[in-house]
Amino acid sequence: MQFVTITSPHTDRPNSVTVTMLWVIIALVPGAAAMTWYFGWGIVIHMLLASAAAVAAEALVLRLRGRPVVPAVSDLSAVVTALLLAIALPPLLPWWLTVLGIVFAIVVAKHLYGGIGYNPFNPAMIGYVLLLVSYPVEMTTWLPPIMLNQHPLDLMQTMNAIFGGTLPPGLDWDALSMATPLDEMRNQLNQNKMISEIRRSPLWGDFGGLGWEWVGNWYLLGGLILLYKRIISWHIPVAMLGSVLFMAMLFHFLDQESHPFGLFHIFSGGTLLGAFFIATDPVSAATTRKGQLIYGTCIGLITYVIRRWGGYPDAVAFAVLLMNMAAPTIDYYTQPRVFGERSAGDD
Amino acid sequence: MATSSYGKLITEGLWSNNQALVALLGLCPLLAVTNTAVNGLGLGIATLVVITLSNATVSIIRNWVRPEVRLPVFVLVIASFVTAVELSMNAWFYELYKILGIFIPLIVTNCAIIGRAEAFASKNSLGRSLVDGVAMGLGFTLALTVLGAMREIIGLGTLFAQADLMFGDIASGMTLRLGDDFKGMLLAILPPGAFIGLGFMIALKNIIDKRLTKTRQAEALPTAGTEPAAG
């Protein structure tokens, strides 16, 4: 049998949705493992719970819509949404909140807008914001990282806390929980304390919160995997991280005692997770290269502005959703010119 | 439209041309005050009174007002009734008046009211305009109350809380509670909850309409030719 020899350009087979989603999941593993190491089994339980609920909700909606269930569920997009939501949730969040968030994300944010490829907003962030706005107390009850945790819970105790709301005898929520570094920094600054004073507390590591600052690196590693596999392009993450860093450094140099060093903002909260995994969602982000730079820059700006002057300690989710809204407009104004097309000034 | 019966006017106002769910008019008060069922009902009834009276008045004066000045005249008529309603609420339902606040005077700007004055009352007799006003007002009140009830249940876990503001002390027992450990979903009380809730109500109405059309068509098929299926 004679094979036809084709000259260049040779193209690899195109990535299917399933393969892309699988790589996103693989890229999330380092970050998820780091979160589990620092914050205990809760992260894993929420990931499994959210994935199961997401697949169930997706199957149910597909049935209601009269669409084939198996191909759509097996593309893993619902699982990725679930994992991205779960990784952002506090480790001991009651189980029904996780289910509520992911069901809202899949049913309302994804399928009511037409399903995969049609959602104008990032579903995971819609679920997260729904929970954050509706249940602020539960959503800000974080655990301290492992090196500061006096009473680390084992698997069974974590299960009891998540599913039954009960803690081991002798412990209560106040003793167990701790503010996130962003929250802590914000509260202390609001009490007019100076950064040099705030940072004397054992909570702080080299540039971010103890423990927290190292989770970001593992998201960064996952992001590099995605970049290497060409699942995402560098434009959005670089623009977003660059603008957060620029804003943070600018204000840091203007007033060092009330604005933490730039790396604090990069390695705290959801910045790195957001830059590589959430802002880069191909459906809800801007699609032109120039548009992606604008989109990423604005996410970074809004994140910093809300963190610094807004009402919430972290703002990646809000920033991403706001820019999701602007993405079609950005795309409209950044259409690349077709080769040979003349601009208005050429005539 | 001029030949439609009173029955049709009522179904149009309550359902098929519901000002809140189909015409999507008067969204500002609809979205702003429906955080509890009682607030929704209160504003709904105020709107009902205004729309009935303004429809009646506009219908009576319809042959004397020149078309060039009709809109300012309609607005003046509506504004007078709104002022009357506002003063009455201030006198008899003071607590509710305080809660609804700016949204009572804002009934003036409710497009549903001027819409009915312009589209219906200025072309129809007094009786028909009265029925239309009551039906449209009731439809609006219904939508407001249902949306308010929905948001109250989801957001606070209660239903008809503060009913005594409206019906007096007898109604203080009307409040339903979903249990003490129910944690309300704050989003439902906040403005986005109104938009999402209204979206779901419209969707629900469209689903019901679709089902109704289907069953009617199925019923109409065997006896085809005797009567055209209602749309």
Side-chain angles (χ1 to χ4, degrees), chain B residues 38 48 129 167 196 229:
Chain B
V38 168
L48 167 70
S129 298
F167 306 109
I196 298 172

Side-chain angles (χ1 to χ4, degrees), chain A:
Chain A
M1 184 175 170
Q2 183 83 41
F3 283 103
V4 184
T5 313
I6 306 170
T7 56
S8 61
H10 300 287
T11 52
D12 197 357
R13 84 192 148 84
N15 276 345
S16 71
V17 174
T18 313
V19 173
T20 308
M21 293 297 168
L22 201 59
W23 273 107
V24 175
I25 294 174
I26 291 170
L28 261 178
V29 167
M35 289 292 278
T36 310
W37 166 257
Y38 285 115
F39 298 102
W41 289 103
I43 305 287
V44 178
I45 295 172
H46 282 302
M47 283 185 151
L48 294 175
L49 179 66
S51 301
V55 170
E58 174 123 324
L60 184 75
V61 180
L62 286 166
R63 261 194 84 100
L64 282 176
R65 294 177 67 198
R67 298 284 178 97
V69 172
V70 175
V73 167
S74 62
D75 72 12
L76 294 178
S77 64
V79 176
V80 167
T81 303
L83 295 181
L84 288 175
L85 174 66
I87 210 168
L89 296 174
L92 294 186
L93 193 74
W95 64 274
W96 56 275
L97 283 179
T98 311
V99 173
L100 176 73
I102 192 65
V103 167
F104 193 84
I106 296 289
V107 174
V108 176
K110 185 175 175 191
H111 278 289
L112 287 191
Y113 286 97
I116 184 168
Y118 293 96
N119 46 304
F121 298 104
N122 185 315
M125 289 303 98
I126 292 272
Y128 180 79
V129 166
L130 171 90
L131 293 178
L132 183 63
V133 170
S134 299
Y135 301 96
V137 177
E138 287 83 352
M139 284 296 285
T140 46
T141 308
W142 267 90
L143 287 181
I146 184 81
M147 48 283 255
L148 292 173
N149 197 342
Q150 311 286 330
H151 320 277
L153 300 184
D154 63 26
L155 182 60
M156 275 319 288
Q157 290 168 329
T158 311
M159 299 265 272
N160 283 338
I162 292 175
F163 291 99
T166 50
L167 291 174
L171 273 178
D172 62 8
W173 290 100
D174 284 343
L176 200 63
S177 67
M178 184 188 245
T180 64
L182 276 171
D183 215 358
E184 176 73 14
M185 180 62 85
R186 179 190 173 76
N187 288 337
Q188 301 276 357
L189 285 174
N190 282 346
Q191 293 167 20
N192 291 323
K193 290 198 183 158
M194 291 190 296
I195 301 257
S196 51
E197 193 181 354
I198 297 170
R199 291 203 48 126
R200 261 178 235 147
S201 144
L203 269 163
W204 304 100
D206 296 324
F207 37 78
L210 202 62
W212 286 88
E213 57 191 8
W214 298 112
V215 175
N217 284 314
W218 299 102
Y219 290 137
L220 185 65
L221 177 68
L224 293 179
I225 296 176
L226 291 182
L227 276 175
Y228 175 73
K229 292 302 293 181
R230 302 208 181 173
I231 286 166
I232 60 174
S233 72
W234 58 268
H235 301 75
I236 294 176
V238 168
M240 176 179 161
L241 295 175
S243 70
V244 169
L245 197 63
F246 173 77
M247 288 293 280
M249 291 311 274
L250 180 71
F251 283 95
H252 177 71
F253 285 123
L254 287 178
D255 181 1
Q256 297 207 357
E257 283 302 343
S258 52
H259 297 91
F261 192 65
L263 286 179
F264 171 78
H265 279 286
I266 297 286
F267 286 94
S268 296
T271 318
L272 281 161
L273 176 69
F276 287 103
F277 290 91
I278 289 162
T280 51
D281 170 20
V283 180
S284 56
T287 47
T288 63
R289 292 299 182 229
K290 213 201 292 175
Q292 289 182 338
L293 289 175
I294 300 172
Y295 175 85
T297 308
C298 291
I299 291 180
L301 285 180
I302 298 174
T303 302
Y304 185 81
V305 166
I306 298 181
R307 275 185 185 176
R308 177 66 187 84
W309 294 284
Y312 285 92
D314 200 2
V316 174
F318 293 111
V320 168
L321 291 180
L322 283 170
M323 288 315 293
N324 283 168
M325 231 183 288
T329 316
I330 295 175
D331 277 346
Y332 179 82
Y333 284 108
T334 54
Q335 291 288 332
R337 281 167 64 198
V338 178
F339 181 72
E341 184 191 335
R342 289 173 171 215
S343 70
D346 285 350
D347 312 312

Side-chain angles (χ1 to χ4, degrees), chain B residues 152-181:
Chain B
E152 190 180 344
I153 292 176
I154 300 175
L156 298 170
T158 63
L159 186 59
F160 289 110
Q162 298 181 303
D164 51 313
L165 295 186
M166 221 164 125
F167 306 109
D169 289 334
I170 343 155
S172 45
M174 265 175 76
T175 305
L176 302 175
R177 274 180 206 294
L178 280 185
D180 290 329
D181 54 351

